[in-house]
Amino acid sequence: MKLLLENKKPIADGVVLLTLRHPDDHPLPAWTPGAHVDLELAGDLVRQYSLCGDPHDDTVLQVAVLREPDGRGGSQHVHDVLQAGQLIEVHGPRNHFALVEAERYVFIAGGIGITPILPMIAEVAAAGHDWRLVYGGRTRSSMAFLDELEPLGQVEIRPQDEYGLLDLAAVLGEPVSGTAVYCCGPEGLLTAVEQHCAKWPAGTLHVERFAPKPDAGQGPRHEFEVELAQSGKVLRVEADESVLEVVERAGVPVLSSCQEGTCGTCETIVLAGTPDHRDSILTAEERETGDAMMICVSRSRSPRLVLDL
């Protein structure tokens, strides 16, 4: 869908908030906390951003974008090129970071990682659940949405230049049954939270990454075949190729974005065969089912995969 960039405004150091609306004021697709959309910024420059607005408001979609000078160009395009009044091709919403039912919630955000957590907090607070947010950032001025969060009372704002690193041992020291832990932020924070949650019950921790896990994509690379069920085509994937590359070369359009296994845009249904999951999205339980894979990075453990393409 093409949406109008109604407004673009700075909300913290290096962070802008984009508000998107249908040009004819048609209702926008429903979404749930944790969802993201893909924005086609220019040509093949497609980037995914977490929705941070109100899921109950079907008139606008909002995303907050951090300028990343060492990134791949998406955030710089948003900050330097996009202007209010432009039309932007938007895909989604999709959700790989969904809010699960729990007795209590612990939210841990680092920097721009607050964006998917913001609507989660609104939902659990409205439902009367027990919750807590620990929110870290480089400086107070770099941390978005403080005005909305600080009055809530169950929020700990911890800028690094004032408090140092987040005290995760205090937050996650002892497992508490019935708790769901949600974390989004830079890789160092996610890795530390995963280590602290190692002794918590399986399924407690839910994370969303901006970049692949350090060990993602590793392992032997063998050639295999993919059968495209919708066309009957059988394609060979060499050891130095990705499924996505081979499928696109065969003229089959597949929407993709990060090509690193972090965004979920290229998720494809597996009808037969055993995927070799090398993404940074799917949970252990989702990998075990083997019914979907990220074809930008994942491969095959069986001689052939049958994909719903």
Side-chain angles (χ1 to χ4, degrees), residues 175 192-202 205:
V193 169
E194 286 174 334
Q195 292 170 350
H196 280 86
C197 283
K199 59 184 178 181
W200 287 62
L205 178 60

Side-chain angles (χ1 to χ4, degrees), residues 3 31 98 103 120 158 199 209 226 237 287 301 303:
L3 299 185
W31 60 280
E103 296 176 27
M120 291 183 179
R158 295 292 184 267
K199 59 184 178 181
R209 283 181 153 83
V226 290
V237 181
R287 291 180 176 216
R301 297 186 184 278

